[in-house]
Structures are given as C-alpha cells and as structure tokens.
Amino acid sequence: MVRKSIAFVLALFCVSWMVEDACAGTTVKTWKNPSLKIDNLTKILVLPVRYDLRTGLSLQPRNELERSFEQWAVEGVKKALNDPKKQKRVMVKTLSEFCNEMTLKYGDVPESLDIFAQRGCEMGYQAFTVIDVLQATYTEKMPDFVLPYTSYKDAYVYNNKGWSTGTVSIPETNTITIPGRNLTYLYTGCQPKLFLAADYKGDYRAIANYEINRQYRGGDVIKVIELAIKDSIKSMFADKK
C-alpha cells in the first residue's frame, strides 16, 4: 500500500492558497500639499463621481448607480472631516445642492466657469473634490505546476528459507502535476483629488491612489466600489493638522 506523506498534503494546500491569493491585496498612496490646512475647511463641494466600469456584469440602472456613488462620496468626506470630539461640522454639498443654493442667491446658474467658481467662493465654498473610479476584471493564466513528493511502499522481507519475516517501507520519489487554470481577478481603483475653490484652474492639493485586487468568485462588485470610495477619501484626509 502506498502512503503519501503529510508534507505532500500540506504542500498541495499551500500551493493552492498561493495561486489564488498571489495578486490579492489593497494598496494606497497619498500626497498632500504641505501648505494645505485641512482643519480650516468648513464648506466643500463634492462633484459627481466619474467612473469607468469594465466588469461586463449587470449593474443597477445608471441614474441609481450615480446617486449611490455621490452618496458614498459625501458620506466619506463627512466622516473624514467631521470631528465629534471638537464638535466640528464641515458642510458638504453635492453639485445639485450647490446649484440650488446658487439659484436662490443669484437667480441662475451661469454657463461661464469663471463666474461659477467666483460665486462658489462668495458662497463660502473653499474646496471641491474630483473622484475617479475604475473597475475591471482580468484573467490570469496559471501554468501547470509540477510538485515532487515522497511516498512509501511496503515490501516483504524474506529469510534464506524463503519465509517472510516482516516488511520494510521503501521511499519512492514521485511527482504530481497540478493542471493550470484561469483565475479571474477584480480590480477596483479609486482616485480622489482635492482642489481649492479659489484656485480651481490650479493643481490639486491632495490626492489618494487607492487600489484593490481580489480574486473574483462572484457576488456584488458594487460593495467593493463603496469601500474604495469611502476608504480612499479617508486616506486622502488622514493625519489632519
């Protein structure tokens, strides 16, 4: 009878785990202009989230999707900036709320971007966010994997009279081939940027590059986007001074 070693079984398990999780993980990189005073912000405009979804999966209707993205962005900014301990409340508005406020104050919403930005500053808005989301699936071909292992075969021992006197275990080196397969991964990237309203044509003052790579086994991909939007915004505003 052939007995496979425990090491062989453990090796199979480890190989399977490494193959499935080789590309899994979350990375985030942030940058803030040293002159940016996050704690001085009291009124922020959250522009509609720009997105590119390439998963090929059925999603909720476009208008519902955009409302969800906008809601998560607003929630993310509020949670990142509002400090209950200091009783600080930062006012965070969507673009539609901003336009309604402008219409009440000025009677219209101008087509000129310069006038639009000027009015925003007059209304007390100090900054605005631009958020880009990309989600896509990709397939990675895993090659065949040849794994050596040791098995033991019992062999009878005979004396000089031809009688069996017992058995011994003889080690044998074998190999097993684990067939290659296609693994599908879900990539979700989110990049929020913060601009100052008084310098809307200038460069951003803070940014976060947030990426999630996970093996996709089915399920709701939208929840991953919600996590990416909220966590990336939190990372961008982290370590407030």
Side-chain angles (χ1 to χ4, degrees), residues 1-9 148-156 167-174:
M1 179 178 65
V2 176
R3 301 196 311 272
K4 293 182 179 179
S5 67
I6 295 178
F8 165 69
V9 178
Y149 69 96
T150 301
S151 63
Y152 295 86
K153 184 177 182 179
D154 292 335
Y156 289 102
T167 60
V168 294
S169 293
I170 301 176
E172 293 182 345
T173 300
N174 304 277

Side-chain angles (χ1 to χ4, degrees), residues 5 37 42 47 71 104 115 141 194:
S5 67
K37 304 298 181 183
T42 58
L47 293 177
Q71 176 187 343
L104 288 175
I115 298 176
K141 171 65 177 177
L194 182 74

Side-chain angles (χ1 to χ4, degrees), residues 157-171:
V157 178
Y158 298 93
N159 61 18
N160 56 4
K161 295 182 178 181
W163 294 94
S164 173
T165 59
T167 60
V168 294
S169 293
I170 301 176

Side-chain angles (χ1 to χ4, degrees), residues 173-188:
T173 300
N174 304 277
T175 61
I176 186 172
T177 300
I178 302 173
R181 54 176 173 158
N182 291 331
L183 297 181
T184 299
Y185 288 90
L186 178 69
Y187 169 85
T188 306

Side-chain angles (χ1 to χ4, degrees), residues 121-139:
C121 292
E122 293 173 356
M123 291 158 55
Y125 287 87
Q126 301 154 298
F128 62 93
T129 63
V130 174
I131 302 172
D132 291 287
V133 170
L134 169 63
Q135 188 174 69
T137 54
Y138 63 94
T139 301

Side-chain angles (χ1 to χ4, degrees), residues 45 94-105 108-109 116 123 125:
L45 167 63
T94 64
L95 181 60
S96 60
E97 293 171 333
F98 175 84
C99 290
N100 289 337
E101 184 181 347
M102 182 177 291
T103 301
L104 288 175
K105 183 177 178 63
D108 66 352
V109 176
F116 187 87
M123 291 158 55
Y125 287 87

Side-chain angles (χ1 to χ4, degrees), residues 45-53 62-77 92-96 128-135 188-193 222 225-226 228-230 232-233:
L45 167 63
V46 173
L47 293 177
V49 175
R50 304 184 299 194
Y51 61 93
D52 183 4
L53 307 181
R62 185 182 183 93
N63 59 339
E64 294 181 12
L65 194 67
E66 292 173 351
R67 282 198 298 268
S68 295
F69 289 174
E70 186 176 67
Q71 176 187 343
W72 298 335
V74 170
E75 290 174 357
V77 174
V92 182
K93 297 287 187 178
T94 64
L95 181 60
S96 60
F128 62 93
T129 63
V130 174
I131 302 172
D132 291 287
V133 170
L134 169 63
Q135 188 174 69
T188 306
C190 186
Q191 185 186 75
K193 298 177 184 177
I222 297 300
I225 296 180
E226 178 182 2
I229 289 176
K230 292 181 177 180
S232 63
I233 293 172

